[in-house]
Amino acid sequence: MHITPADALDLLSQKKETFITLFEHGSLQVEMYKPDAVDLQTPHERDEIYVVVSGTGEFLNGENRVSFAPGDFLFVPAGVEHRFVNFTDDFSTWV
């Protein structure tokens, strides 16, 4: 399996959604996420990781706020309120 960020973003743009599931195996799911202006996520039932593909901004993870940039790895435990804020228009991330 090989998926490039460009391929993932192309597939996502065809769906007109903010995320697309690209791969599933057992309990693993790999998605591409690209919110439009506002991140409307709510807490999830599963742990999640994000690897930022493009863009910059800030990430709220519970009570913590960090700046992010391409290549950054972010972890969120299940049930924790989190979202991306103040992000650039080109922001996208693997999930």
Side-chain angles (χ1 to χ4, degrees):
M1 168 66 60
H2 178 250
I3 305 170
T4 68
D7 291 341
L9 288 166
D10 183 52
L11 289 169
L12 180 59
S13 71
Q14 294 173 31
K15 279 195 69 166
K16 306 287 189 227
E17 299 287 336
T18 59
F19 77 94
I20 185 172
T21 301
L22 300 161
F23 178 78
E24 294 183 82
H25 181 80
S27 64
L28 173 68
Q29 291 182 323
V30 176
E31 302 171 344
M32 179 60 72
Y33 180 52
K34 184 172 180 23
D36 183 23
V38 176
D39 180 0
L40 300 175
Q41 292 188 82
T42 57
H44 307 294
E45 295 179 5
R46 302 168 50 160
D47 293 343
E48 284 193 320
I49 64 117
Y50 298 93
V51 178
V52 177
V53 172
S54 59
T56 59
E58 296 175 307
F59 184 63
L60 303 177
N61 187 352
E63 295 181 12
N64 298 315
R65 179 186 293 254
V66 297
S67 295
F68 68 83
D72 286 358
F73 173 94
L74 305 163
F75 172 75
V76 180
V80 172
E81 182 88 24
H82 64 283
R83 69 182 27 83
F84 295 92
V85 296
N86 304 320
F87 53 85
T88 55
D89 290 341
D90 63 337
F91 168 62
S92 63
T93 186
W94 292 111
V95 182

